[in-house]
Amino acid sequence: MRNYEIMFIVSTQLTEEEKQTGIKFVEDTLKASGADSVKTEIWGDRKLAYPINKKDNGYYALTTFQMDGTRLTEVEGKLNINENLMKYMIVKND
């Protein structure tokens, strides 16, 4: 098991409840794929470096977890179909 982190951006046009649902979706997807030690840190609304889908702001969250790297493609496949996630990036954390 290796340490990873995923930084993701949820649309700011969602309600607070919908934002929390988007964050829970990421956590549940990771846990369903066998991730351990899932911890999320909310960074909140921030200005984007460049517009994404004609939006200038996003709701940032950072989740750290431990997982077997061979399961990451399964996680990415599930995250790609969620319309509330604007962008995400998974990085190995040494």
Side-chain angles (χ1 to χ4, degrees):
M1 301 266 267
R2 293 192 172 214
N3 294 323
Y4 292 94
E5 62 185 22
I6 177 171
M7 169 69 74
F8 58 97
I9 306 170
V10 180
S11 175
T12 56
Q13 294 179 339
L14 301 174
T15 65
E16 194 63 36
E17 184 177 307
E18 291 172 326
K19 290 176 189 174
Q20 296 305 318
T21 302
I23 292 168
K24 184 162 176 32
F25 173 80
V26 172
E27 291 175 343
D28 291 344
T29 301
L30 291 169
K31 289 176 185 174
S33 297
D36 293 328
S37 305
V38 178
K39 296 177 186 163
T40 301
E41 181 180 332
I42 306 296
W43 288 16
D45 292 338
R46 303 254 173 134
K47 183 165 175 42
L48 300 172
Y50 56 89
I52 300 173
N53 299 331
K54 299 181 183 178
K55 296 179 180 91
D56 294 324
N57 292 320
Y59 189 79
Y60 283 73
L62 174 71
T63 301
T64 57
F65 59 98
Q66 293 179 339
M67 175 185 265
D68 180 22
T70 59
R71 307 286 306 251
L72 287 177
T73 54
E74 177 184 330
V75 171
E76 289 177 341
K78 292 179 182 177
L79 295 179
N80 286 336
I81 62 172
N82 189 327
E83 295 178 1
N84 292 335
L85 293 179
M86 296 169 61
K87 287 276 187 185
Y88 70 88
M89 181 183 285
I90 300 175
V91 181
K92 184 171 66 170
N93 192 5
D94 288 330

